[in-house]
Amino acid sequence: MERNDLYPVFLKVSQLNVLIVGGGNVAEEKLTFLLKSSPNAKVEMVSPMYREGTVALAQKFNIKMHKAAYESSFLLGNHMVIATTDSISVNERVYHDCRKQNILVNVADNPPYCDFYMGGIVTKGNVKVAISTNGKSPTTAKRLRQFFEDVIPENIDDLVNNLNEFRKTIKGDFEEKVETLNEFTKSLVEKKAKDEN
C-alpha cells in the first residue's frame, strides 16, 4: 500500500519571501488561499498580465506586482516560489531555476515539479489543521477540509488558551507535564462526547 511520506510543517510566511509566477486563475487561487491562511504573508507576483480580481486582492493586501515576463532574476531574495502559468515550459524553467538556487518551489498541477504541496487548511483561532493527499486529489483534500470545519467546535480557541494557562502551572519534569495534560484533555474529550449524546 502506498503511503504519504511528506513531512508537514507550518511556515511563518510573514517572515519568508514568497513569489507567485503567473497572473491567471490559478495564481489568483493560490494567492487567495495563501492570504486566507496567512494575511500577513510577504508575497510578490510576476506576470505579463493579471486578472482584475487578482489586482484587487493584491492591492488590498499590499502585494507587489511586477508586470513582466518571468526571468530568473525575480527569484533573488525569495524563499518559496509558486509557478502557476499556463506555459509548461515556463513553469518547468521556474522549477529548474529554483532547484539551482535551493529555493522551495511548487509548480501548480505538476506534482513531480513540487518540493511542497499546498493542501487543504482549516483554521479556528490558534488551531490549524492541514490536509494532504500527497498531491493526488485536491478534491478529496477539499472535502476533508469541509468535514473538519464542521467537526472542530468554534470555541476550540477557549480550550487551547485555557490549557496553555493550565500548562504553566503544572509542576514536574517534561514527561510528568505531558502525562498530566494528556489526562486532563482526555477527560474533556470524553465529557464533550457525553454532552453530544
Side-chain angles (χ1 to χ4, degrees):
M1 181 177 154
E2 222 181 322
R3 61 171 264 167
N4 186 330
D5 287 332
L6 298 172
Y7 186 78
V9 295
F10 291 90
L11 299 171
K12 295 180 178 180
V13 286
S14 61
Q15 298 174 22
L16 301 172
N17 299 323
V18 181
L19 176 69
I20 297 177
V21 180
N25 284 323
V26 179
E28 187 172 324
E29 179 187 278
K30 299 295 185 188
L31 180 63
T32 299
F33 285 118
L34 184 61
L35 294 173
K36 181 182 176 192
S37 184
S38 304
N40 297 316
K42 288 167 47 178
V43 184
E44 289 190 20
M45 300 183 78
V46 59
S47 177
M49 58 70 67
Y50 295 97
R51 293 170 43 85
E52 275 184 40
T54 309
V55 173
L57 186 63
Q59 288 172 343
K60 181 181 175 186
F61 286 90
N62 244 0
I63 306 299
K64 187 173 182 180
M65 304 176 88
H66 304 277
K67 199 163 188 179
Y70 167 77
E71 294 294 334
S72 60
S73 59
F74 284 107
L75 298 180
L76 190 65
N78 284 294
H79 302 100
M80 290 171 50
V81 175
I82 303 163
T84 69
T85 78
D86 55 9
S87 165
I88 292 171
S89 63
V90 170
N91 287 344
E92 290 185 0
R93 194 171 132 220
V94 171
Y95 172 80
H96 291 295
D97 289 347
C98 287
R99 299 306 297 139
K100 285 178 198 164
Q101 297 186 42
N102 296 318
I103 297 170
L104 294 174
V105 61
N106 170 289
V107 175
D109 299 322
N110 196 341
Y113 287 81
C114 292
D115 293 322
F116 64 94
Y117 301 131
M118 299 175 78
I121 297 170
V122 179
T123 306
K124 299 255 178 128
N126 283 298
V127 174
K128 186 166 286 200
V129 178
I131 301 153
S132 164
T133 58
N134 215 11
K136 303 233 185 253
S137 177
T139 304
T140 302
K142 179 182 176 183
R143 294 290 172 241
L144 286 168
R145 176 179 56 79
Q146 291 167 337
F147 170 77
F148 282 110
E149 280 176 347
D150 290 341
V151 169
I152 298 172
E154 292 300 325
N155 67 345
I156 191 74
D157 222 27
D158 295 339
L159 174 63
V160 170
N161 289 327
N162 289 340
L163 280 176
N164 185 42
E165 290 304 311
F166 176 62
R167 183 180 60 127
K168 293 174 188 174
T169 67
I170 302 171
K171 304 286 184 232
D173 64 16
F174 179 77
E175 284 182 18
E176 289 172 315
K177 289 181 180 184
V178 169
E179 191 175 322
T180 302
L181 283 170
N182 280 340
E183 282 302 310
F184 188 70
T185 54
K186 187 172 78 174
S187 67
L188 287 173
V189 172
E190 287 168 357
K191 182 183 183 310
K192 182 168 175 32
K194 284 177 190 169
D195 291 345
E196 287 175 352
N197 289 333

